[in-house]
Amino acid sequence: MPAKSIRAEYLKGLWQENPVFRQLLGMCPTLAVTGAVINGIAMGLATSFVLIFSSLVISSIKKLIPSQVRIACYVVIIATFVTMADRFLAAFFLPISKSLGPYVPLIVVNCIILGRQEAFSSKNSVGRSLIDALGMSSGFVLALLILSSIREILGSGTFLGHQVMGAWFKPWLIMIFPSGAFITLGILLAIALVIESKAKQRR
Amino acid sequence: MNLSSRMVIVLTSVGLISGSFLASVGLLTKERIALNRQQETEAAIVTVVPGTTNSQIVYEEEGFTVYEGKEDNGNLAGFAIYASGTGFQGKITLMYGTDSSMTKIKFLTIIEQRETPGLGSKITDVEAFLRYWENKDMSSSLTLHKPAASSPEELAPTEVNTITGATISSEKVLEIVNLSLERLRNLKKEGKLSSEEQDAS
């Protein structure tokens, strides 16, 4: 594998290998919690915390883990960080913890995290794994931010709870429903594909 | 060292280290979480029984607690009823306040819920849901007004509103309240709640 520059290693998570728009990973939280921007951001940050620390730990002990039990080890380590994040939110950020409800414990099964351990951290140095995790986290937060902004503005007429649409605006209830999440995600994926194919033609 | 013993050792130590980390995180946050819960209960009592400065438990059983709220001067401000039950996706815990003679529900507040974010979670929204619960008659079971009314004036004193798109969550809250109202009426009949009796004893 040709060594990428650190910059490229980070940037690939934002666009080229964006977990949501390009890899279609982690769809459960992406679709479920993006009805409001604050939930999207909180979910993005909680997932980032788990991803970054799991990558750090797993890349540093990768040589000790026999490959037959690697997945079991990854899951235990990931679950540890998820539980830490869950307790931390419940202790210090009660309103956010309440609005995310069951989706914080569900970060355990977010395939971005397990996917990055299997595809990257188990084969690369600690430093590179950290950069990769930072890039993927930023890409995930960015994707949730875009999706939740569109859904909250159209679905409730608000952004971060502040009214942004005038009184004439009638909220599109469908955007709050799961179907609205699928429709928005589909349109965003199509836009991402168009941009990508245009960029390829130019190359 | 052969492979299987290595696998056992690695998995066991990963588990042990993770476990001890979690135990310490649990210890560190336990107090804070318990404090949050207690503050929440106290704040909820003040919300549902305005004017309360001092509250105490008058009756308690699993998932159902009755608090008595007293004003500064010792007068009875009302009762706060804490009740819980199953919602659409998980447990719903709520609290409502009554007047001092237990004839009307004054206010309702949701303490804990795991309903669908953005839909069922609207049961915590004052504008959309909670304000439709003010001043409801406690003498019989309440019913749901469908389709959703747009202002509290449209509802009868025994009716509460539905949330558009979250009928099940609205029904579940109603179910929890109706069930606790029934318990409350029985307790009252048995004389277990009368504060005069408590004062005498």
Side-chain angles (χ1 to χ4, degrees):
Chain A
M1 193 172 15
K4 276 187 188 155
S5 74
I6 297 214
R7 211 176 105 92
E9 200 78 86
Y10 175 77
L11 287 178
K12 75 171 196 288
L14 285 183
W15 177 253
Q16 250 182 336
E17 291 179 29
N18 184 297
V20 174
F21 294 137
R22 307 294 304 162
Q23 298 191 66
L24 295 183
L25 288 179
M27 291 291 111
C28 160
T30 305
L31 293 166
V33 303
T34 51
V37 176
I38 184 72
N39 291 354
I41 294 176
M43 173 50 81
L45 293 181
T47 308
S48 305
F49 164 80
V50 176
L51 177 55
I52 291 165
F53 281 93
S54 308
S55 288
L56 272 180
V57 170
I58 287 166
S59 60
S60 48
I61 61 167
K62 59 179 182 282
K63 290 212 177 91
L64 295 173
I65 303 174
S67 68
Q68 290 85 343
V69 293
R70 66 183 192 285
I71 302 288
C73 287
Y74 299 165
V75 171
V76 171
I77 292 165
I78 293 167
T80 306
F81 285 113
V82 171
T83 312
M84 281 166 79
D86 185 41
R87 294 288 84 190
F88 179 77
L89 284 177
F92 300 102
F93 296 94
L94 194 60
I96 293 178
S97 161
K98 286 178 134 193
S99 68
L100 288 177
Y103 293 105
V104 177
L106 278 178
I107 296 173
V108 175
V109 290
N110 189 321
C111 33
I112 295 172
I113 299 172
L114 194 57
R116 287 332 283 173
Q117 309 318 326
E118 180 71 359
F120 203 93
S121 305
S122 56
K123 298 176 191 133
N124 288 280
S125 68
V126 177
R128 279 201 176 268
S129 300
L130 177 64
I131 302 292
D132 175 74
L134 284 172
M136 288 295 156
S137 304
S138 317
F140 187 60
V141 173
L142 189 74
L144 290 193
L145 190 62
I146 295 174
L147 203 60
S148 58
S149 305
I150 297 175
R151 287 184 66 197
E152 190 179 331
I153 291 172
L154 294 180
S156 319
T158 57
F159 183 79
L160 279 172
H162 300 290
Q163 197 72 35
V164 287
M165 299 298 245
W168 52 270
F169 180 76
K170 194 152 181 4
W172 306 2
L173 199 59
I174 191 173
M175 295 308 276
I176 299 295
F177 285 99
S179 43
F182 279 104
I183 293 169
T184 315
L185 182 67
I187 292 171
L188 287 175
L189 286 178
I191 294 173
L193 273 178
V194 169
I195 297 175
E196 184 61 21
S197 63
K198 284 257 164 68
K200 245 184 212 148
Q201 275 171 14
R202 239 178 284 138
R203 263 182 237 135
Chain B
M1 192 177 8
N2 70 21
L3 184 67
S4 46
S5 55
R6 211 177 127 211
M7 292 193 317
V8 171
I9 291 168
V10 169
L11 260 183
T12 312
S13 37
V14 167
L16 281 177
I17 294 169
S18 294
S20 50
F21 256 105
L22 285 182
S24 45
V25 169
L27 277 180
L28 282 174
T29 52
K30 198 173 80 186
E31 252 171 55
R32 185 74 203 221
I33 291 173
L35 190 72
N36 280 346
R37 199 155 289 163
Q38 194 197 334
Q39 277 175 349
E40 231 172 26
T41 314
E42 276 164 18
I45 295 176
V46 176
T47 316
V48 297
V49 187
T52 303
T53 50
N54 183 3
S55 62
Q56 69 181 84
I57 295 174
V58 287
Y59 184 81
E60 192 174 19
E61 61 181 88
E62 181 66 31
F64 177 77
T65 312
V66 181
Y67 295 87
E68 181 183 64
K70 288 205 162 145
E71 287 169 14
D72 247 346
N73 52 20
N75 284 348
L76 186 64
F79 294 92
I81 290 91
Y82 167 100
S84 65
T86 355
F88 179 46
Q89 285 180 330
K91 197 171 146 189
I92 297 178
T93 308
L94 54 81
M95 188 176 264
Y96 57 90
T98 74
D99 54 0
S100 53
S101 54
M102 266 199 203
T103 51
K104 273 186 170 163
I105 294 180
K106 300 282 252 188
F107 298 101
L108 170 77
T109 185
I110 308 288
I111 297 178
E112 210 176 328
Q113 52 88 21
R114 306 229 141 183
E115 302 304 285
T116 321
L119 278 176
S121 67
K122 276 202 185 140
I123 56 173
T124 59
D125 193 329
V126 175
E127 265 309 291
F129 188 65
L130 296 179
R131 72 188 174 114
Y132 292 91
W133 279 83
E134 290 169 19
N135 293 320
K136 292 298 161 192
D137 187 9
M138 285 173 66
S139 56
S140 60
S141 283
L142 300 171
T143 51
L144 217 52
H145 184 93
K146 281 190 274 192
S150 49
S151 83
E153 287 77 43
E154 288 174 40
L155 301 174
T158 54
E159 272 184 332
V160 295
N161 210 11
T162 322
I163 300 168
T164 312
T167 314
I168 298 177
S169 298
S170 319
E171 274 168 2
K172 293 293 179 186
V173 171
L174 182 71
E175 224 176 88
I176 297 169
V177 173
N178 273 340
L179 216 71
S180 69
L181 283 178
E182 215 180 288
R183 274 176 162 180
L184 213 55
R185 278 193 290 269
N186 287 339
L187 286 174
K188 215 176 162 187
K189 234 183 271 168
E190 291 163 25
K192 285 191 181 156
L193 290 177
S194 92
S195 50
E196 292 83 35
E197 196 185 71
Q198 283 237 324
D199 286 349
S201 58

